[in-house]
């Protein structure tokens, strides 16, 4: 809380100070090392934060800038992964192109939660924030397909392009259809079950978890399922929920999003000791790891900047 109030006083994005605060706490002697279960963290934090972000976006604006959004969400992510793979193969000792694509698949897309949180504190034109936040909600599918097939090449040494294309379609279309189907079922539950405002809000919190878990279990994109389901509910919001439910939902989701965002960024900082232990276990010095990290960060940022120049003319 103190860090967030301090960030508001300095007029900076609070996620930045929360990460730095977590780093500072992790460096205090005798503070227990926090070991994060990545799958558990994603399931707890990602679905509700994505779901809330969809409701805050203008679907009309998303459609207006759809060409740029989809090009960044898919084409730019693939290009970023390819450039990262090439640089890693050239610079990192013993790093194959397949491992490079594996790395590119992990870092090639922007994080939806971070983008949304920071956009709330950065003064940029509405169209820019819409493009950045919308792209961050959609690029999970392209990163996931790069990661999956890079992992397949690393483990088996084989890659079947037809399987890759079909899998990509399932990740994207399947994820969206699963989210839409669950949202449709949930809308019927709201309509026909004898629920009150409190129960409606509880169901709205449960919905993104169901969408995310079901889609992931079926091999599709859980992120796209939550995004598609959230869009469906956003479009039918007034016809599904009474005004009392909407007012209470706004209050609950505002507090929930604030708490989850804060915990997520604080945990990133607190995970530093575990990261350092992993670097030491690999026999790599901190200076070398830092240089590699800065290099790859520069590559990702550079590709994004060059891609932005191409899109700038479309924004005029």
């Amino acid at each position: 809380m103190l860090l967030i109030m301090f960030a508001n006083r300095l007029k900076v994005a609070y996620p930045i100070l929360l990460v730095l605060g977590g780093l500072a706490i992790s460096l205090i002697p005798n503070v227990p090392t926090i070991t994060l279960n990545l799958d558990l963290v994603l399931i707890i934090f990602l679905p509700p934060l994505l779901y809330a972000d969809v409701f805050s976006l203008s679907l009309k604006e998303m459609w207006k800038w759809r060409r740029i959004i989809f090009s960044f969400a898919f084409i730019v992510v693939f290009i970023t992964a390819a450039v990262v793979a090439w640089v890693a193969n050239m610079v990192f000792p013993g790093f194959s192109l397949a491992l490079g694509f594996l790395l590119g698949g992990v870092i090639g897309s922007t994080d939806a939660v971070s983008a949304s949180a920071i956009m709330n504190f950065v003064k940029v034109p509405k169209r820019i924030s819409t493009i950045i936040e919308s792209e961050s909600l959609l690029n999970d599918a392209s990163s996931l397909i790069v990661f999956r097939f890079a992992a397949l090449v690393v483990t088996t040494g084989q890659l079947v392009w037809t399987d890759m294309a079909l899998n990509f379609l399932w990740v994207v279309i399947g994820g969206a259809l699963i989210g839409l189907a669950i949202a449709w079922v949930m809308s019927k539950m709201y309509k026909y079950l004898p629920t009150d405002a409190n129960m409606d809000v509880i169901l709205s919190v449960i919905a993104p978890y169901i969408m995310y878990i079901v889609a992931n279990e079926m091999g599709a994109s859980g992120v796209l399922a939550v995004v598609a389901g959230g869009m469906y509910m956003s479009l039918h919001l007034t016809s599904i929920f009474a005004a009392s439910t909407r007012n209470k939902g706004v209050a609950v989701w505002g507090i929930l999003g604030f708490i989850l965002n804060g915990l997520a960024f604080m945990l990133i900082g607190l995970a530093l000791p575990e990261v350092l232990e992993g670097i030491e276990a690999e026999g790599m010095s901190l200076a070398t790891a830092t240089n590699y990290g800065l290099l790859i960060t520069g590559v990702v940022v550079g590709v994004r900047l060059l891609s932005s120049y191409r899109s700038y003319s479309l924004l005029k």
Side-chain angles (χ1 to χ4, degrees), residues 113-194:
V113 175
S114 301
S116 176
I118 292 175
M119 281 298 106
N120 291 330
F121 294 87
V122 180
K123 293 183 179 180
V124 297
K126 179 63 177 177
R127 63 182 185 276
I128 301 296
S129 63
T130 298
I131 291 170
I132 292 174
E133 292 183 61
S134 301
E135 184 248 330
S136 68
L137 292 172
L138 299 174
N139 58 25
D140 168 75
S142 46
S143 279
L144 181 59
I145 200 67
V146 172
F147 180 85
R148 282 186 180 180
F149 283 92
L152 183 65
V153 174
V154 170
T155 54
T156 67
Q158 297 179 346
L159 178 62
V160 181
W161 290 101
T162 54
D163 290 347
M164 181 176 178
L166 291 174
N167 196 277
F168 178 76
L169 290 175
W170 170 245
V171 167
V172 177
I173 299 175
L177 290 177
I178 290 170
L180 290 172
I182 294 175
W184 181 83
V185 172
M186 295 293 291
S187 68
K188 298 304 178 184
M189 291 175 61
Y190 288 124
K191 183 176 182 180
Y192 294 111
L193 292 181

